[in-house]
Amino acid sequence: MNLNGACAKIEAMNEMKTIYLVPHSHYDVVWAFTKEDYYFINEMILTNAVKMIKESDFKFLIEQTYLLEMIEERNPKLFAGIKKAIAVGKIEIADGQYIMPDLMIPAAEVLVREILFGKRYCKEKFGIDVPVAWAADGFGLNAQMPQVYKKSGYKWLAFRRGLPETIGYRVSEFMWEGLDGSQILSHWMPLGYRAGLDLDKWDEAYEKLSAFAITSHMLMPCGSGGVPPQEETPDKVAQWNREHDDSRMIISTPSDFFKNLEEDGDEFATFHGELYSSDLQNIFPDVVSSRIGLKLAIKNCENLLLTSEKISTVAWIFGMQYPSDAMTEMWRKMLFLANHDVLPSCGIDEIYEEAWDYIADMNKMAKVLLKDAAEHFLKDSGPGNGIVVLNPNNWEVTDWVETEVQLGEGWNEELGVALNGEEIASEVIQVQRREDGSVCKAKLCFVATVPSLGYRVYQIVKKNKQFQSDVEVRGNGVVNKYFKLAIDDKTGVLEVFDMDDRKILEGNELVIDQEIGDLYFHRSEFDGLIHSESGEGIHFGTFKPDECKIETSPVRTVITFKDSFYCLQWPYYLTKKFGSILQRHKTIDVLKKVIVYNDIPRIDFITTINSQQSHIRIRLKFDTCMVIPAYCRQTQFGVIDLPLPTSLDYSIKAPSVNWVNCQEGRRGLAFFTRGVPLNEIKAGEIYCTLLRSVSVLSTDGSSGPLIPTPYAMELGEHTYIYAVYPHSGDWKETEIHRRGHEFTYHLLAFQMDTTALDKELRSFTLEPDNLIISALKKAEKEDAVILRFFETKGQTCQAQLQMPVQIKAAKCVNLLEEEESELKVENGELRMEVNPFEIVTLKLLFDT
């Protein structure tokens, strides 16, 4: 805090204090109760609140529009009472998102849609805007939320978790500054949202809040999750005001508090970056790995939804009917999945049945929409055996694709792939044959190059050419033109060397430790490992290798390693001397594939674990072969640097979105994931938590009830996809932001009934390379295109957007798609200045 801020706080201590008591009830859509239980609870709460409002000066806060939609449908009388109370200022909607999401795990675009859906509902149903963001129950706030909030019409933020101690000492009011410089006046709830819940302990709460308040205005939330309003509240407020000469308490709303805070506040301390405190480092990385199977499935849905939306919008521009109803339905389901108790997976088992149903529905619908768009693109082509490859990125992408193909009778030859009639290198796997030996089904794999936000058509042909691999196999090693790999056939540990034989990576090693924690916290009774693939840990158990093989095709080389974990071996003493002769009580099977391409400088990993052992944590370990590297990671709409390690023992726990980069001098390693949480860094080592097997929501009641969660033991099979990208130069030079993005939002291929040759489409291109399109969709209220992009290097640049000829005009709008300024379009091209880490939303029009 600066000197002026400190002086302001001293002056505030001598002024008459105003306590803004805000009655509320935090709404969990699902958590320890089911959705129907929570509806019953909250319907009762709001019925009582409306009754109290009619009979006194009582006021109340509502957070999320999902609940209001349910009440509107099921209880019109109550909804009318709420609407009337909102109109006279007795009920305030704070936050106003569709559902309160987690703000650290979901894709950036999901967070925008939560606000867009919720605020649009508030405007349509009640004629109001929502000025206060109310982050009551999330696990931290990502560093771009100030910009997201400001461009969504929020003026102020109140939040519960995440304030670091780096603002001198903690204060409850400050300016929070995002990556781009956007600032929002923020209030941290020092006592959480239960500060005033116990009416008989207001004096104690007042004293504690006074220690943090920067002005004479203090916010005292009075409620909790699922707690009814207390009828005696107005009388207790009157009693307080009779008994206290130094303060005045009023039943109020967050906006009243902030208006007066803003008016009287002179100068506030400024905090820049993520609101992710050291307290959360002990919670979030463990929540992020609970119910990992669900998380992987949700992140895959997220990918399919955003990709299908982009491709459907391109097809709409070129004449297809836009699938509005299907898109709206999928987005509503996605916003439910992003809820702060669904995606973090910290609720009871029963609530996730609906989540899995949504996942199945969305996967099916997204693939239907993608195929519909592809069929529209190729509607004038003749029938045949074709493969259309779709690219959801705003640059040309060359990458690996796989697609299942079905063939008619009589296909007896080997399968191949051609581009414009010219056969290219390919690989065929998972072949199924009819009784006569002909191929009926197979998976075709090849490297495709596809234009930006468009498609390219390849053909299924009978293989005629023989292609040679450029990869050399040497024993248990593989060499391509980028690097050299060697795998230990006993442990599965991988070593990677550059072309000068300098080791640049070691690992992909499984390590198992004890897990006696819960959905929130990892806990163990001892610091050591149960076991690792390299042999560390309890001497009774062992990993036993089953298979190590290397298979080469003209386009890639695959190293396959299989091993299993046994809880007991004999002899379990002097094992190094006598060897492991007998193994019993197998609980884990492991299948690892390490994939090296001829022409892609990336190493892909597919790891499948089938675990039948409970109360363990399984992690992947990588050694970067760097001493104390600098780390950065992708966050929503940007990139942030991680704190520099201060010693070899230094550990950082932090969530990741899609990629993490570590750098030492010119040497760099980027780690890409598709939902796999890279969540712990120890000097030069990186750990990915693959699963945590827990059986209770909370072990001690500190985070929630002690409810059994047997499905959270994660028994069964899980598959993880991730990659490593060695590079020379920093992440900006080598475009790691693009490489990581295209790994997550990858090319998709589908078999199509077409013989189209020389058929491709490039719809939008956006340069320079530091700009990434996050959304391409139909506008909410008109036949216009919404295109959103963000700057990712922290550099000022001039955007150059090339668009289809159908686009005639453009306007810059905010995240709610409200117009701000007109932009010039010439010959299908738009140019504009973009600031560092800026999020830009454009409305593209078909008429001038």
Side-chain angles (χ1 to χ4, degrees):
M1 184 189 303
N2 57 32
L3 182 60
N4 290 337
C7 292
K9 184 168 184 178
I10 292 170
E11 290 176 8
M13 293 172 63
N14 299 319
E15 294 180 22
M16 167 73 79
K17 304 291 195 303
T18 302
I19 305 164
Y20 298 81
L21 189 78
V22 178
H24 75 97
S25 180
H26 170 60
Y27 172 55
D28 287 311
V29 180
V30 291
W31 179 51
F33 287 106
T34 65
K35 185 167 73 173
E36 286 303 313
D37 287 341
Y38 276 120
Y39 175 78
F40 170 80
I41 291 167
N42 283 274
E43 185 183 54
M44 182 180 294
I45 288 169
L46 290 175
T47 299
N48 292 342
V50 169
K51 180 175 181 292
M52 290 176 65
I53 285 168
K54 291 178 180 177
E55 297 172 351
S56 67
D57 62 351
F58 190 71
K59 294 183 179 181
F60 202 71
L61 178 153
I62 296 176
E63 299 168 335
Q64 300 159 68
T65 63
Y66 189 90
L67 174 61
L68 290 171
E69 278 190 352
M70 293 177 74
I71 291 171
E72 181 183 16
E73 179 182 348
R74 300 186 186 189
N75 192 335
K77 182 179 178 181
L78 175 58
F79 186 79
I82 292 170
K83 187 172 184 178
K84 183 176 180 180
I86 291 173
V88 297
K90 289 294 197 77
I91 287 181
E92 176 166 301
I93 298 177
D95 208 46
Q97 298 192 48
Y98 184 65
I99 295 178
M100 189 176 290
D102 177 83
L103 297 175
M104 299 296 284
I105 309 177
E109 199 57 38
V110 174
L111 303 182
V112 172
R113 304 304 175 89
E114 293 278 14
I115 296 171
L116 178 62
F117 272 58
K119 280 207 163 194
R120 190 180 66 203
Y121 181 87
C122 292
K123 181 73 74 174
E124 292 174 355
K125 300 297 180 179
F126 310 113
I128 62 168
D129 193 12
V130 179
V132 179
W134 183 265
D137 201 26
F139 299 103
L141 292 88
N142 72 72
Q144 281 285 49
M145 287 311 297
Q147 184 179 182
V148 171
Y149 284 142
K150 296 295 281 189
K151 290 188 173 180
S152 300
Y154 292 105
K155 299 178 181 178
W156 310 294
L157 165 67
F159 69 100
R160 177 182 173 192
R161 300 187 184 102
L163 183 66
E165 296 178 358
T166 49
I167 315 180
Y169 60 91
R170 292 185 178 185
V171 293
S172 53
E173 291 82 37
F174 63 97
M175 296 299 298
W176 181 26
E177 184 174 273
L179 294 182
D180 71 315
S182 295
Q183 293 188 342
I184 187 166
L185 180 57
S186 302
H187 168 82
W188 165 57
M189 305 174 190
L191 304 180
Y193 55 48
R194 304 184 188 96
L197 179 63
D198 192 332
L199 308 189
D200 295 326
K201 293 185 178 181
W202 281 353
D203 280 297
E204 181 182 336
Y206 168 66
E207 183 177 348
K208 291 179 179 178
L209 293 175
S210 296
F212 297 100
I214 196 86
T215 72
S216 61
H217 303 282
M218 289 185 292
L219 183 68
M220 185 183 284
C222 179
S224 187
V227 174
Q230 301 174 71
E231 292 184 0
E232 64 270 36
T233 300
D235 292 338
K236 284 286 188 178
V237 170
Q239 180 183 341
W240 175 279
N241 289 329
R242 288 194 301 269
E243 296 175 354
H244 295 77
D245 295 329
D246 63 339
S247 63
R248 177 176 66 101
M249 181 182 288
I250 56 174
I251 300 176
S252 189
T253 60
S255 60
D256 285 341
F257 162 74
F258 277 112
K259 287 174 186 174
N260 288 289
L261 173 69
E262 197 168 50
E263 185 176 327
D264 290 358
D266 182 17
E267 195 168 343
F268 298 94
T270 300
F271 177 76
H272 178 85
E274 242 175 17
L275 286 176
Y276 185 74
S277 68
S278 56
D279 297 336
L280 289 179
Q281 289 188 31
N282 296 320
I283 303 174
F284 191 88
D286 300 329
V287 172
V288 82
S289 51
S290 300
R291 302 185 189 272
I292 192 66
L294 179 72
K295 285 186 174 65
L296 295 175
I298 292 176
K299 294 302 286 185
N300 182 59
C301 272
E302 198 177 68
N303 177 353
L304 282 173
L305 172 56
L306 289 167
T307 296
S308 63
E309 183 178 61
K310 289 177 182 177
I311 299 301
S312 294
T313 302
V314 172
W316 176 58
I317 292 171
F318 285 87
M320 186 185 82
Q321 184 175 353
Y322 191 78
S324 297
D325 292 343
M327 277 297 167
T328 299
E329 179 184 347
M330 284 201 297
W331 269 111
R332 287 182 182 275
K333 290 176 177 177
M334 186 70 243
L335 300 184
F336 174 87
L337 296 175
N339 170 256
H340 62 279
D341 289 312
V342 177
L343 184 51
S345 309
C346 49
I348 60 174
D349 286 348
E350 292 88 335
I351 67 176
Y352 298 107
E353 294 175 6
E354 183 174 14
W356 281 110
D357 288 342
Y358 283 0
I359 289 165
D361 292 344
M362 291 175 65
N363 279 333
K364 181 179 179 180
M365 181 56 69
K367 290 172 183 176
V368 167
L369 294 182
L370 287 166
K371 288 186 177 181
D372 286 349
E375 287 175 357
H376 178 77
F377 293 139
L378 302 171
K379 64 181 185 298
D380 297 326
S381 305
N385 284 312
I387 298 172
V388 62
V389 186
L390 304 167
N391 176 14
N393 301 286
N394 56 279
W395 58 89
E396 182 178 87
V397 172
T398 297
D399 211 341
W400 180 259
V401 295
E402 299 180 358
T403 186
E404 187 177 275
V405 298
Q406 298 189 31
L407 302 165
E409 294 183 2
W411 197 289
N412 296 306
E413 306 296 329
E414 286 190 63
L415 290 172
V417 176
L419 175 61
N420 300 328
E422 183 68 28
E423 189 176 349
I424 63 173
S426 63
E427 179 181 336
V428 183
I429 57 177
Q430 299 177 10
V431 175
Q432 295 183 25
R433 298 182 181 274
R434 298 182 179 87
E435 291 183 359
D436 63 1
S438 63
V439 177
C440 60
K441 185 184 293 186
K443 183 173 283 187
L444 261 177
C445 318
F446 57 100
V447 173
T449 299
V450 187
S452 58
L453 274 165
Y455 70 87
R456 176 164 282 150
V457 177
Y458 292 78
Q459 297 81 43
I460 303 170
V461 297
K462 295 181 179 180
K463 187 174 183 179
N464 291 314
K465 289 186 178 181
Q466 295 299 318
F467 295 89
Q468 298 300 315
S469 172
D470 296 331
V471 177
E472 183 181 353
V473 178
R474 302 174 184 171
N476 289 332
V478 173
V479 180
N480 70 0
K481 58 188 174 185
Y482 305 108
F483 28 67
K484 305 174 183 179
L485 290 80
I487 189 166
D488 187 320
D489 60 1
K490 299 293 189 296
T491 66
V493 174
L494 185 74
E495 293 180 310
V496 182
F497 302 84
D498 64 18
M499 300 311 290
D500 296 323
D501 292 321
R502 178 176 52 190
K503 187 190 288 188
I504 58 175
L505 181 70
E506 181 176 348
N508 198 39
E509 177 186 9
L510 290 186
V511 295
I512 307 172
D513 49 15
Q514 186 188 43
E515 178 61 82
I516 57 170
D518 53 35
L519 291 173
Y520 291 89
F521 294 96
H522 164 69
R523 295 186 180 95
S524 178
E525 289 180 322
F526 57 94
D527 294 331
L529 299 176
I530 291 177
H531 219 76
S532 71
E533 287 183 305
S534 58
E536 295 180 71
I538 299 171
H539 63 275
F540 288 103
T542 187
F543 274 96
K544 179 185 177 183
D546 295 325
E547 181 182 29
C548 184
K549 64 180 181 180
I550 301 176
E551 299 170 291
T552 298
S553 81
V555 280
R556 66 174 183 171
T557 297
V558 180
I559 304 171
T560 300
F561 178 82
K562 295 180 182 180
D563 64 356
S564 301
F565 177 68
Y566 293 81
C567 297
L568 181 65
Q569 65 174 341
W570 178 83
Y572 41 78
Y573 290 111
L574 299 179
T575 308
K576 288 185 178 179
K577 182 175 182 178
F578 295 107
S580 179
I581 300 171
L582 190 65
Q583 302 83 30
R584 291 292 184 266
H585 305 291
K586 182 174 72 169
T587 56
I588 303 170
D589 287 321
V590 181
L591 169 62
K592 296 180 184 175
K593 291 184 181 292
V594 182
I595 303 167
V596 180
Y597 301 97
N598 286 9
D599 298 310
I600 301 173
R602 188 183 74 214
I603 305 166
D604 287 357
F605 300 86
I606 303 174
T607 296
T608 300
I609 296 173
N610 191 330
S611 174
Q612 300 302 323
Q613 185 159 348
S614 62
H615 298 290
I616 58 171
R617 179 177 68 166
I618 303 178
R619 294 182 294 165
L620 276 171
K621 176 184 174 183
F622 284 98
D623 184 346
T624 65
C625 301
M626 302 178 190
V627 181
I628 304 182
Y631 290 93
C632 66
R633 63 175 171 83
Q634 184 195 31
T635 188
Q636 288 81 357
F637 291 126
V639 177
I640 62 170
D641 294 321
L642 296 181
L644 288 172
T646 54
S647 70
L648 293 177
D649 298 326
Y650 188 72
S651 176
I652 303 170
K653 287 186 173 183
S656 64
V657 180
N658 294 326
W659 61 264
V660 172
N661 188 70
C662 53
Q663 195 81 31
E664 193 169 61
R666 295 287 296 170
R667 189 163 73 84
L669 283 171
F671 293 82
F672 306 151
T673 81
R674 291 182 189 163
V676 182
L678 294 161
N679 61 337
E680 187 172 2
I681 293 165
K682 293 182 178 179
E685 295 179 344
I686 288 182
Y687 290 84
C688 315
T689 302
L690 299 186
L691 67 82
R692 290 194 313 116
S693 176
V694 300
S695 58
V696 67
L697 191 149
S698 175
T699 56
D700 58 6
S702 63
S703 303
L706 281 70
I707 299 174
T709 57
Y711 291 164
M713 289 193 289
E714 296 291 84
L715 305 180
E717 187 172 287
H718 302 281
T719 297
Y720 311 86
I721 301 173
Y722 48 101
V724 174
Y725 193 97
H727 59 92
S728 177
D730 69 21
W731 68 268
K732 297 177 183 179
E733 292 177 58
T734 47
E735 300 185 0
I736 293 303
H737 51 293
R738 278 192 167 186
R739 303 292 82 80
H741 195 83
E742 69 193 24
F743 182 79
T744 300
Y745 298 98
H746 50 88
L747 302 179
L748 289 171
F750 297 94
Q751 182 183 12
M752 301 294 296
D753 184 14
T754 179
T755 54
L757 297 177
D758 198 23
K759 190 77 172 176
E760 64 181 56
L761 172 69
R762 174 182 286 102
S763 64
F764 292 85
T765 58
L766 178 63
E767 295 291 344
D769 70 86
N770 53 330
L771 303 178
I772 295 177
I773 292 177
S774 64
L776 187 68
K777 62 183 285 287
K778 183 179 180 295
E780 295 296 312
K781 296 181 178 179
E782 59 185 295
D783 284 345
V785 175
I786 296 295
L787 185 150
R788 187 161 22 257
F789 66 88
F790 62 98
E791 198 284 321
T792 193
K793 288 185 181 178
Q795 299 172 352
T796 301
C797 66
Q798 184 179 62
Q800 302 171 39
L801 176 65
Q802 192 68 45
M803 302 172 288
V805 295
Q806 291 89 336
I807 304 299
K808 306 298 182 183
K811 296 180 180 180
C812 192
V813 297
N814 65 14
L815 294 177
L816 301 180
E817 304 179 12
E818 298 164 339
E819 295 178 14
E820 294 180 354
S821 60
E822 293 193 9
L823 299 168
K824 186 177 181 180
V825 175
E826 282 188 327
N827 300 319
E829 185 177 80
L830 181 152
R831 294 173 179 258
M832 64 181 295
E833 292 296 316
V834 179
N835 295 318
F837 293 119
E838 184 178 2
I839 305 165
V840 177
T841 306
L842 304 176
K843 182 187 290 184
L844 308 178
L845 306 169
F846 297 111
D847 296 308
T848 55

PDB file of all heavy atoms in Angstrom, residues 434-453:
ATOM      1  N   ARG A 434     -14.204 -58.462 -43.625  1.00  0.00           N
ATOM      2  CA  ARG A 434     -15.363 -59.345 -43.780  1.00  0.00           C
ATOM      3  C   ARG A 434     -14.872 -60.789 -43.879  1.00  0.00           C
ATOM      4  O   ARG A 434     -13.668 -61.061 -43.917  1.00  0.00           O
ATOM      5  CB  ARG A 434     -16.150 -58.965 -45.027  1.00  0.00           C
ATOM      6  CG  ARG A 434     -16.725 -57.553 -44.979  1.00  0.00           C
ATOM      7  CD  ARG A 434     -17.533 -57.275 -46.251  1.00  0.00           C
ATOM      8  NE  ARG A 434     -18.122 -55.933 -46.210  1.00  0.00           N
ATOM      9  CZ  ARG A 434     -17.492 -54.832 -46.618  1.00  0.00           C
ATOM     10  NH1 ARG A 434     -16.268 -54.930 -47.130  1.00  0.00           N
ATOM     11  NH2 ARG A 434     -18.097 -53.671 -46.545  1.00  0.00           N
ATOM     12  N   GLU A 435     -15.824 -61.705 -43.939  1.00  0.00           N
ATOM     13  CA  GLU A 435     -15.467 -63.124 -44.034  1.00  0.00           C
ATOM     14  C   GLU A 435     -14.681 -63.433 -45.295  1.00  0.00           C
ATOM     15  O   GLU A 435     -13.848 -64.341 -45.317  1.00  0.00           O
ATOM     16  CB  GLU A 435     -16.733 -63.985 -43.992  1.00  0.00           C
ATOM     17  CG  GLU A 435     -17.432 -63.969 -42.636  1.00  0.00           C
ATOM     18  CD  GLU A 435     -18.636 -64.890 -42.609  1.00  0.00           C
ATOM     19  OE1 GLU A 435     -18.920 -65.515 -43.656  1.00  0.00           O
ATOM     20  OE2 GLU A 435     -19.290 -64.985 -41.548  1.00  0.00           O
ATOM     21  N   ASP A 436     -14.922 -62.654 -46.372  1.00  0.00           N
ATOM     22  CA  ASP A 436     -14.188 -62.906 -47.621  1.00  0.00           C
ATOM     23  C   ASP A 436     -12.812 -62.245 -47.632  1.00  0.00           C
ATOM     24  O   ASP A 436     -12.095 -62.309 -48.642  1.00  0.00           O
ATOM     25  CB  ASP A 436     -15.006 -62.447 -48.830  1.00  0.00           C
ATOM     26  CG  ASP A 436     -15.254 -60.940 -48.819  1.00  0.00           C
ATOM     27  OD1 ASP A 436     -14.777 -60.252 -47.888  1.00  0.00           O
ATOM     28  OD2 ASP A 436     -15.935 -60.443 -49.734  1.00  0.00           O
ATOM     29  N   GLY A 437     -12.440 -61.612 -46.540  1.00  0.00           N
ATOM     30  CA  GLY A 437     -11.123 -60.995 -46.445  1.00  0.00           C
ATOM     31  C   GLY A 437     -11.071 -59.541 -46.845  1.00  0.00           C
ATOM     32  O   GLY A 437     -10.053 -58.864 -46.667  1.00  0.00           O
ATOM     33  N   SER A 438     -12.155 -59.018 -47.417  1.00  0.00           N
ATOM     34  CA  SER A 438     -12.148 -57.614 -47.824  1.00  0.00           C
ATOM     35  C   SER A 438     -12.268 -56.705 -46.603  1.00  0.00           C
ATOM     36  O   SER A 438     -12.840 -57.076 -45.574  1.00  0.00           O
ATOM     37  CB  SER A 438     -13.291 -57.337 -48.798  1.00  0.00           C
ATOM     38  OG  SER A 438     -14.542 -57.548 -48.166  1.00  0.00           O
ATOM     39  N   VAL A 439     -11.744 -55.491 -46.737  1.00  0.00           N
ATOM     40  CA  VAL A 439     -11.743 -54.521 -45.635  1.00  0.00           C
ATOM     41  C   VAL A 439     -13.118 -53.861 -45.536  1.00  0.00           C
ATOM     42  O   VAL A 439     -13.646 -53.361 -46.540  1.00  0.00           O
ATOM     43  CB  VAL A 439     -10.658 -53.444 -45.845  1.00  0.00           C
ATOM     44  CG1 VAL A 439     -10.718 -52.409 -44.721  1.00  0.00           C
ATOM     45  CG2 VAL A 439      -9.276 -54.087 -45.903  1.00  0.00           C
ATOM     46  N   CYS A 440     -13.702 -53.883 -44.346  1.00  0.00           N
ATOM     47  CA  CYS A 440     -14.986 -53.193 -44.161  1.00  0.00           C
ATOM     48  C   CYS A 440     -14.839 -51.930 -43.324  1.00  0.00           C
ATOM     49  O   CYS A 440     -15.612 -50.980 -43.469  1.00  0.00           O
ATOM     50  CB  CYS A 440     -16.015 -54.121 -43.516  1.00  0.00           C
ATOM     51  SG  CYS A 440     -15.544 -54.748 -41.891  1.00  0.00           S
ATOM     52  N   LYS A 441     -13.851 -51.908 -42.448  1.00  0.00           N
ATOM     53  CA  LYS A 441     -13.670 -50.738 -41.577  1.00  0.00           C
ATOM     54  C   LYS A 441     -12.197 -50.647 -41.208  1.00  0.00           C
ATOM     55  O   LYS A 441     -11.517 -51.661 -41.030  1.00  0.00           O
ATOM     56  CB  LYS A 441     -14.520 -50.869 -40.321  1.00  0.00           C
ATOM     57  CG  LYS A 441     -14.488 -49.643 -39.395  1.00  0.00           C
ATOM     58  CD  LYS A 441     -15.280 -49.870 -38.109  1.00  0.00           C
ATOM     59  CE  LYS A 441     -16.764 -50.008 -38.384  1.00  0.00           C
ATOM     60  NZ  LYS A 441     -17.542 -50.091 -37.099  1.00  0.00           N
ATOM     61  N   ALA A 442     -11.706 -49.404 -41.090  1.00  0.00           N
ATOM     62  CA  ALA A 442     -10.313 -49.199 -40.689  1.00  0.00           C
ATOM     63  C   ALA A 442     -10.154 -47.766 -40.190  1.00  0.00           C
ATOM     64  O   ALA A 442     -11.033 -46.921 -40.377  1.00  0.00           O
ATOM     65  CB  ALA A 442      -9.369 -49.455 -41.859  1.00  0.00           C
ATOM     66  N   LYS A 443      -9.033 -47.505 -39.559  1.00  0.00           N
ATOM     67  CA  LYS A 443      -8.698 -46.143 -39.160  1.00  0.00           C
ATOM     68  C   LYS A 443      -7.533 -45.691 -40.029  1.00  0.00           C
ATOM     69  O   LYS A 443      -6.471 -46.325 -40.062  1.00  0.00           O
ATOM     70  CB  LYS A 443      -8.330 -46.062 -37.687  1.00  0.00           C
ATOM     71  CG  LYS A 443      -8.045 -44.639 -37.207  1.00  0.00           C
ATOM     72  CD  LYS A 443      -7.858 -44.554 -35.698  1.00  0.00           C
ATOM     73  CE  LYS A 443      -9.194 -44.612 -34.992  1.00  0.00           C
ATOM     74  NZ  LYS A 443      -9.041 -44.359 -33.523  1.00  0.00           N
ATOM     75  N   LEU A 444      -7.755 -44.609 -40.756  1.00  0.00           N
ATOM     76  CA  LEU A 444      -6.742 -44.052 -41.642  1.00  0.00           C
ATOM     77  C   LEU A 444      -6.064 -42.879 -40.950  1.00  0.00           C
ATOM     78  O   LEU A 444      -6.735 -42.021 -40.360  1.00  0.00           O
ATOM     79  CB  LEU A 444      -7.387 -43.565 -42.942  1.00  0.00           C
ATOM     80  CG  LEU A 444      -7.313 -44.493 -44.155  1.00  0.00           C
ATOM     81  CD1 LEU A 444      -8.064 -43.877 -45.330  1.00  0.00           C
ATOM     82  CD2 LEU A 444      -5.867 -44.760 -44.559  1.00  0.00           C
ATOM     83  N   CYS A 445      -4.727 -42.828 -41.045  1.00  0.00           N
ATOM     84  CA  CYS A 445      -3.949 -41.800 -40.354  1.00  0.00           C
ATOM     85  C   CYS A 445      -2.955 -41.175 -41.342  1.00  0.00           C
ATOM     86  O   CYS A 445      -2.335 -41.884 -42.135  1.00  0.00           O
ATOM     87  CB  CYS A 445      -3.183 -42.388 -39.183  1.00  0.00           C
ATOM     88  SG  CYS A 445      -4.109 -43.571 -38.182  1.00  0.00           S
ATOM     89  N   PHE A 446      -2.789 -39.862 -41.242  1.00  0.00           N
ATOM     90  CA  PHE A 446      -1.849 -39.171 -42.121  1.00  0.00           C
ATOM     91  C   PHE A 446      -1.616 -37.760 -41.592  1.00  0.00           C
ATOM     92  O   PHE A 446      -2.284 -37.312 -40.644  1.00  0.00           O
ATOM     93  CB  PHE A 446      -2.370 -39.121 -43.562  1.00  0.00           C
ATOM     94  CG  PHE A 446      -3.716 -38.470 -43.738  1.00  0.00           C
ATOM     95  CD1 PHE A 446      -3.826 -37.154 -44.174  1.00  0.00           C
ATOM     96  CD2 PHE A 446      -4.896 -39.169 -43.468  1.00  0.00           C
ATOM     97  CE1 PHE A 446      -5.062 -36.552 -44.344  1.00  0.00           C
ATOM     98  CE2 PHE A 446      -6.139 -38.577 -43.638  1.00  0.00           C
ATOM     99  CZ  PHE A 446      -6.227 -37.266 -44.070  1.00  0.00           C
ATOM    100  N   VAL A 447      -0.649 -37.088 -42.176  1.00  0.00           N
ATOM    101  CA  VAL A 447      -0.369 -35.694 -41.829  1.00  0.00           C
ATOM    102  C   VAL A 447      -1.062 -34.806 -42.851  1.00  0.00           C
ATOM    103  O   VAL A 447      -0.810 -34.913 -44.055  1.00  0.00           O
ATOM    104  CB  VAL A 447       1.145 -35.408 -41.791  1.00  0.00           C
ATOM    105  CG1 VAL A 447       1.406 -33.921 -41.596  1.00  0.00           C
ATOM    106  CG2 VAL A 447       1.803 -36.210 -40.669  1.00  0.00           C
ATOM    107  N   ALA A 448      -1.964 -33.948 -42.358  1.00  0.00           N
ATOM    108  CA  ALA A 448      -2.733 -33.061 -43.232  1.00  0.00           C
ATOM    109  C   ALA A 448      -2.273 -31.625 -43.057  1.00  0.00           C
ATOM    110  O   ALA A 448      -1.839 -31.224 -41.968  1.00  0.00           O
ATOM    111  CB  ALA A 448      -4.219 -33.178 -42.912  1.00  0.00           C
ATOM    112  N   THR A 449      -2.374 -30.866 -44.106  1.00  0.00           N
ATOM    113  CA  THR A 449      -2.139 -29.420 -44.062  1.00  0.00           C
ATOM    114  C   THR A 449      -3.436 -28.741 -44.483  1.00  0.00           C
ATOM    115  O   THR A 449      -3.927 -28.985 -45.593  1.00  0.00           O
ATOM    116  CB  THR A 449      -0.993 -29.011 -45.000  1.00  0.00           C
ATOM    117  OG1 THR A 449       0.208 -29.659 -44.575  1.00  0.00           O
ATOM    118  CG2 THR A 449      -0.789 -27.505 -44.976  1.00  0.00           C
ATOM    119  N   VAL A 450      -3.995 -27.929 -43.578  1.00  0.00           N
ATOM    120  CA  VAL A 450      -5.336 -27.390 -43.799  1.00  0.00           C
ATOM    121  C   VAL A 450      -5.319 -25.870 -43.644  1.00  0.00           C
ATOM    122  O   VAL A 450      -4.739 -25.345 -42.689  1.00  0.00           O
ATOM    123  CB  VAL A 450      -6.342 -28.006 -42.806  1.00  0.00           C
ATOM    124  CG1 VAL A 450      -7.757 -27.574 -43.129  1.00  0.00           C
ATOM    125  CG2 VAL A 450      -6.235 -29.534 -42.824  1.00  0.00           C
ATOM    126  N   PRO A 451      -5.973 -25.146 -44.569  1.00  0.00           N
ATOM    127  CA  PRO A 451      -6.006 -23.684 -44.480  1.00  0.00           C
ATOM    128  C   PRO A 451      -6.708 -23.192 -43.215  1.00  0.00           C
ATOM    129  O   PRO A 451      -7.467 -23.912 -42.575  1.00  0.00           O
ATOM    130  CB  PRO A 451      -6.788 -23.280 -45.743  1.00  0.00           C
ATOM    131  CG  PRO A 451      -6.707 -24.446 -46.656  1.00  0.00           C
ATOM    132  CD  PRO A 451      -6.640 -25.650 -45.779  1.00  0.00           C
ATOM    133  N   SER A 452      -6.473 -21.932 -42.893  1.00  0.00           N
ATOM    134  CA  SER A 452      -6.999 -21.326 -41.672  1.00  0.00           C
ATOM    135  C   SER A 452      -8.520 -21.286 -41.665  1.00  0.00           C
ATOM    136  O   SER A 452      -9.143 -20.928 -42.661  1.00  0.00           O
ATOM    137  CB  SER A 452      -6.444 -19.916 -41.507  1.00  0.00           C
ATOM    138  OG  SER A 452      -6.753 -19.120 -42.621  1.00  0.00           O
ATOM    139  N   LEU A 453      -9.105 -21.694 -40.536  1.00  0.00           N
ATOM    140  CA  LEU A 453     -10.560 -21.707 -40.352  1.00  0.00           C
ATOM    141  C   LEU A 453     -11.257 -22.211 -41.612  1.00  0.00           C
ATOM    142  O   LEU A 453     -12.171 -21.574 -42.142  1.00  0.00           O
ATOM    143  CB  LEU A 453     -11.067 -20.327 -39.952  1.00  0.00           C
ATOM    144  CG  LEU A 453     -11.001 -20.048 -38.447  1.00  0.00           C
ATOM    145  CD1 LEU A 453     -11.161 -18.579 -38.156  1.00  0.00           C
ATOM    146  CD2 LEU A 453     -12.065 -20.856 -37.710  1.00  0.00           C
TER     147      LEU A 453
END
